[in-house]
Amino acid sequence: MQQSTSINTEALISEMIVAVEQMRGQQYDISLPETADEPLAGLRNALMSLAESLQFRARERARLNDIAVNINAGLLLEEILETVYVHFKDVIPYNRIGFSLIDSDRETVRAYWAKSEYPIFLNRNFTAKLQGSSLHQILLTGKPRIIDDLPAYLRAKPTSLSTRLIVKEGMRSSLTCPLVNNGEPVGFMFFSSAEPHTYTNIHVDIFRQIAAQLSVILEKGRLVSRLAAQKEQIERTNAELVRVNELKSTFLGIATHDLRGPIGNIRMIADLLQDSEISLSDEERQALLGDIGAQSTHMLSLLNDLLDVTRIEAGKLELRFETFSLEPFLSQIVQRHAMMATPKGTRMVLQPVGNGYAKGDPVRLRQVIDNIISNAIKYSPPGSTVLVGAESMKHGWCIFVQDEGPGITEDDRPKLFKDFAKLSAKPTGGEKSVGLGLAIARRIVEAHGGIIGVDSEAGQGAKFWFTLPDENALTGGVR
């Protein structure tokens, strides 16, 4: 820039006019000579300052437009917000950015996303009423709000929980930008700094412009995210429909295969008993009738299992909760199975439970324990012992059945509690199974809020157990 104290006044004014025309054409890199004439010197300095300011603003807008292009390249809402956090540092200082959405009822503001260099205490899903709040005033004015001293603001408004949390995070000043799309409020962007007075000299109108662009981009991202979530839900539903359809086909296959044999045997025995030309002794006749009973029991058990799985898969498993005493509940089950175990020489033992109470559906829980004990008897060698017991937990019970059978191999372990699981171990008495019992037990236990599992090593027996959580469970009585 050339200095001159003797320049002609008319020439200087002409240069000033040219400079104004250049700025009107968005050319801000101007040069004007200095002058000793005080009025002209003041005008000259004002023009130079204006050019510098406009040049800075033009560069700022260009940078914001570049940022908007980068942001708009994102699809999902969180991708867009991550891009904002990375690129806005070139335009505005911050240590934290937060984004909140206005709920569809237009009455609630909900924190959706935040990223910070400091620990975050104002987390996702933090909500606040919009009506009557300072955020509502920001929407009414449409202008960004600057708070230069957040601790002082909190002292003036000690009931503001959001401010309290932000201050706890270490933030000391903030800039809040309202986001409005097509005349409808969308939400807010919160820029926060760990230093006070960070935003005092910020050009607020620049952020009004970028907030308008962000509103459109973020609303697009929210819609795309919502569509993506719906697509994912549809895919999950379709996968579940495929699984249920495959399960139905398996049911039909099992029913066709496992029912055909028993029905054929019953039909053959019925024909034999009706044949007047065949002479049967009372012993032979009783054996045939006993076979009919065994085949019928197997078919009924199969059909009940299939119906249970179908009912549970359809979400129609009804549980009738009540508080009951564990000692008589388990005792009755053990006594009934003791008679079934006698022919194999298996001994049933109930570990003392004491005066303990649990809460659940006794009918369905009996079904779980019946299945586990039946398996223990089925796979245990003659002369072995099956132990049944219940151990008190902090909030509920752990009920277990321990046998002296072959145990569970590593290969079989992943198959447990799944539909139609076929294990390598064989029943010691030739009993039949379709592999649904433990799968049904798992579903019933989970419906009670518990978990089911097994502790076992191959050749060392198995201890099947399930938890029965209950916040009101007690030992020694019922409150």
Side-chain angles (χ1 to χ4, degrees), residues 267-339:
R267 178 64 183 273
M268 181 182 66
I269 294 171
D271 290 342
L272 187 63
L273 292 172
Q274 289 177 336
D275 193 336
S276 58
E277 297 181 1
I278 298 177
S279 178
L280 298 172
S281 65
D282 289 343
E283 184 178 330
E284 289 173 330
R285 187 177 297 275
Q286 289 301 318
L288 290 173
L289 290 174
D291 194 16
I292 289 177
Q295 300 283 0
S296 300
T297 299
H298 172 65
M299 287 192 297
L300 182 61
S301 175
L302 170 63
L303 289 173
N304 284 336
D305 283 349
L306 292 174
L307 288 172
D308 275 340
V309 172
T310 302
R311 189 180 296 112
I312 294 170
E313 288 292 324
K316 296 181 179 179
L317 176 66
E318 294 183 3
L319 298 178
R320 292 182 171 86
F321 283 84
E322 60 182 80
T323 301
F324 58 91
S325 177
L326 272 176
E327 180 77 37
F329 172 73
L330 293 176
S331 180
Q332 290 175 5
I333 296 174
V334 169
Q335 289 176 14
R336 181 157 47 84
H337 281 278
M339 295 189 303

Side-chain angles (χ1 to χ4, degrees), residues 176-380:
T176 303
C177 293
L179 303 176
V180 180
N181 184 34
N182 292 327
E184 291 292 330
V186 176
F188 301 90
M189 291 290 292
F190 303 93
F191 299 89
S192 304
S193 171
E195 299 294 331
H197 303 283
T198 297
Y199 306 104
T200 303
N201 298 318
I202 291 294
H203 296 291
V204 171
D205 59 329
I206 289 290
F207 285 92
R208 294 180 68 176
Q209 295 177 28
I210 197 62
Q213 295 179 355
L214 275 177
S215 300
V216 176
I217 296 169
L218 291 171
E219 183 65 10
K220 181 205 74 172
R222 183 165 67 157
L223 292 175
V224 172
S225 296
R226 187 181 301 166
L227 290 173
Q230 291 174 351
K231 177 176 178 289
E232 185 177 342
Q233 179 60 42
I234 291 172
E235 289 174 347
R236 284 198 300 266
T237 302
N238 287 339
E240 179 64 14
L241 289 174
V242 170
R243 189 188 70 80
V244 171
N245 189 56
E246 291 174 348
L247 188 62
K248 180 194 71 175
S249 299
T250 305
F251 283 176
L252 293 175
I254 289 289
T256 302
H257 179 271
D258 283 49
L259 292 178
R260 180 181 295 171
I263 291 173
N265 289 337
I266 292 173
R267 178 64 183 273
M268 181 182 66
I269 294 171
D271 290 342
L272 187 63
L273 292 172
Q274 289 177 336
D275 193 336
S276 58
E277 297 181 1
I278 298 177
S279 178
L280 298 172
S281 65
D282 289 343
E283 184 178 330
E284 289 173 330
R285 187 177 297 275
Q286 289 301 318
L288 290 173
L289 290 174
D291 194 16
I292 289 177
Q295 300 283 0
S296 300
T297 299
H298 172 65
M299 287 192 297
L300 182 61
S301 175
L302 170 63
L303 289 173
N304 284 336
D305 283 349
L306 292 174
L307 288 172
D308 275 340
V309 172
T310 302
R311 189 180 296 112
I312 294 170
E313 288 292 324
K316 296 181 179 179
L317 176 66
E318 294 183 3
L319 298 178
R320 292 182 171 86
F321 283 84
E322 60 182 80
T323 301
F324 58 91
S325 177
L326 272 176
E327 180 77 37
F329 172 73
L330 293 176
S331 180
Q332 290 175 5
I333 296 174
V334 169
Q335 289 176 14
R336 181 157 47 84
H337 281 278
M339 295 189 303
M340 298 170 57
T342 299
K344 293 184 68 172
T346 302
R347 191 167 67 104
M348 296 292 304
V349 176
L350 174 62
Q351 176 179 284
V353 178
N355 192 20
Y357 290 82
K359 191 173 183 180
D361 185 329
V363 175
R364 287 297 181 179
L365 292 174
R366 184 179 295 114
Q367 184 179 355
V368 173
I369 301 171
D370 280 345
N371 180 271
I372 297 176
I373 293 178
S374 295
N375 283 344
I377 297 172
K378 187 184 301 181
Y379 291 98
S380 292

Side-chain angles (χ1 to χ4, degrees), residues 74-95:
L75 289 177
L76 300 180
L77 181 54
E78 295 212 10
E79 292 177 354
I80 293 171
L81 292 167
E82 289 286 343
T83 306
V84 169
Y85 185 83
V86 171
H87 289 285
F88 260 57
K89 282 188 178 294
D90 293 340
V91 178
I92 180 174
Y94 54 82
N95 301 104

Side-chain angles (χ1 to χ4, degrees), residues 98-153:
F99 171 61
S100 293
L101 284 168
I102 299 174
D103 283 353
S104 57
D105 60 9
R106 301 299 180 192
E107 295 180 357
T108 307
V109 180
R110 185 179 304 274
Y112 178 86
W113 175 94
K115 192 162 185 178
S116 176
E117 300 170 12
Y118 295 76
I120 293 177
F121 295 103
L122 201 161
N123 291 309
R124 179 185 291 233
N125 289 332
F126 174 88
T127 59
K129 290 294 183 183
L130 180 60
Q131 293 295 327
S133 69
S134 58
L135 293 179
H136 188 227
Q137 292 299 315
I138 295 174
L139 285 180
L140 293 177
T141 63
K143 297 179 180 180
R145 178 191 66 180
I146 293 174
I147 299 179
D148 291 321
D149 190 337
L150 282 169
Y153 182 84

